[in-house]
């Protein structure tokens, strides 16, 4: 019986949840992990190669019961181990945030074919297949637990407006959006809501050099607010999409770009 006295799983909790954030060693992943921890949730901080930065993320989280999990998500066996380690450390999984991604510049006109092919394979492996595999692994645990759940994917504005210098990034993020909508339909009967955010440009360590000089001015001018987002603004939206109140937003792709690109 749920809290209302009717059959079915209990209402999805607003806090105290078990959360796996992929690619959480720095940048947006770190901001998302901190947002959930500040909300009273327990977080598994995943990293692929930046162990020291991941530990700093873990140490910065408020509250207790958080964990560090490691693995190369492009390897299905390691992805399964990441999900298993997170579930073991937290006692299950209630929320998955698919944040791990790669974004390598590769304009067609100046990229040799061998490099082009390799970059596309890398983007598909990290941005799309790792997201699909972790989603399966987390959702199966939510189903087997008999609890409700949330999956939030980090997509991109580039999926809609085009990325001429980063076409594999734009294409794989569009696929992530489509994957999220497909899973939203298939997982709703299990009480699992799936949604995506589509951020525009936001400031992280990785892109700090691009925000200086003339290029920085051009990037900030993309938004009528004259600035780029802070990671914490994106993280706040992710936290809401994982909330009990956001179940009816399952299937949505939430634009977070400061009116820099308006879809119709």
């Amino acid at each position: 019986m749920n809290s209302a006295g009717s059959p079915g799983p209990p209402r999805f909790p607003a806090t105290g949840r078990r959360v796996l954030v992929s690619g959480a060693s720095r940048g947006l992943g770190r901001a998302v992990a901190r947002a959930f921890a500040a909300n009273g949730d327990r977080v598994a901080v995943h990293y692929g190669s930046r162990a020291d930065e991941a530990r700093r993320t873990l140490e910065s989280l408020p509250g207790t019961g958080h964990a560090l999990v490691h693995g190369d998500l492009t390897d299905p066996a390691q992805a399964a181990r990441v999900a298993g380690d997170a579930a073991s450390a937290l006692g299950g999984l209630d929320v998955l945030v698919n944040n791990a991604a790669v974004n390598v510049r590769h304009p067609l006109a100046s990229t040799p074919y061998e490099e082009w092919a390799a970059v596309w394979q890398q983007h598909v492996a990290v941005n799309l297949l790792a997201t699909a595999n972790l989603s399966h692994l987390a959702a199966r645990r939510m189903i087997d637990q008999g609890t409700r759940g949330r999956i939030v994917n980090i997509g991109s504005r580039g999926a809609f407006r085009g990325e001429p210098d980063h076409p594999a990034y734009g294409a794989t993020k569009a696929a992530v959006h489509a994957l999220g909508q497909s899973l939203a339909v298939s997982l709703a009967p299990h009480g699992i809501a799936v949604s995506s955010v589509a951020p525009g440009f936001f400031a992280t360590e990785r892109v700090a050099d691009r925000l200086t000089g003339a290029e920085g001015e051009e990037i900030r001018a993309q938004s009528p607010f004259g600035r780029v987002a802070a990671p914490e603004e994106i993280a706040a939206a992710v936290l809401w999409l994982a909330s009990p109140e956001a179940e009816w937003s399952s299937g949505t792709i939430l634009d977070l770009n400061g009116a820099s690109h308006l879809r119709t």
Side-chain angles (χ1 to χ4, degrees):
M1 303 287 282
N2 63 23
S3 59
S6 58
R11 185 174 186 270
F12 190 68
T15 189
R17 299 164 300 184
R18 301 158 295 183
V19 182
L20 169 59
V21 182
S22 70
S25 60
R26 61 178 184 169
L28 178 57
R30 177 179 286 175
V32 168
R34 286 174 173 171
F36 277 101
N39 185 63
D41 301 310
R42 291 184 294 127
V43 182
V45 174
H46 162 262
Y47 72 97
S49 59
R50 297 184 175 90
D52 291 342
E53 290 177 304
R55 290 190 188 94
R56 284 195 288 272
T57 296
L58 183 70
E59 292 166 358
S60 75
L61 300 183
T64 60
H66 310 301
L68 203 63
V69 293
H70 169 256
D72 178 1
L73 298 180
T74 66
D75 179 345
Q78 290 194 47
R81 190 184 70 218
V82 166
D85 289 350
S88 295
L90 302 178
L93 287 177
D94 301 303
V95 178
L96 167 66
V97 181
N98 281 307
N99 172 71
V102 64
N103 186 6
V104 178
R105 188 176 184 274
H106 56 286
L108 187 150
S110 58
T111 303
Y113 175 68
E114 293 77 10
E115 179 183 344
W116 170 270
V119 166
W120 270 87
Q121 289 180 343
Q122 180 186 24
H123 280 70
V124 170
V126 178
N127 297 358
L128 178 57
L129 296 181
T131 294
N133 290 341
L134 270 188
S135 296
H136 182 282
L137 293 159
R140 279 303 326 172
R141 279 175 170 77
M142 296 170 192
I143 293 169
D144 293 343
Q145 289 165 183
T147 59
R148 300 179 183 273
R150 298 287 185 269
I151 297 174
V152 184
N153 300 320
I154 307 300
S156 174
R157 171 188 68 175
F160 305 114
R161 71 165 200 161
E163 291 288 351
D165 291 337
H166 305 79
Y169 182 78
T172 51
K173 288 300 186 177
V176 165
H177 295 167
L179 169 66
Q181 292 188 316
S182 295
L183 296 183
V185 177
S186 67
L187 295 176
H190 303 283
I192 301 171
V194 185
S195 55
S196 302
V197 296
F201 209 101
F202 56 90
T204 65
E205 304 94 321
R206 182 175 59 82
V207 297
D209 60 320
R210 296 185 60 191
L211 291 174
T212 61
E215 184 181 13
E217 291 300 318
E218 180 181 347
I219 291 170
R220 284 185 286 273
Q222 292 173 2
S223 167
F225 289 99
R227 66 176 181 88
V228 299
E232 290 76 15
E233 293 176 286
I234 313 302
V238 172
L239 183 64
W240 181 78
L241 286 170
S243 71
E245 295 79 11
E247 182 171 272
W248 215 238
S249 294
S250 189
T252 196
I253 302 167
L254 181 59
D255 292 321
L256 300 170
N257 64 50
S260 64
H261 180 74
L262 303 178
R263 290 191 287 147
T264 57

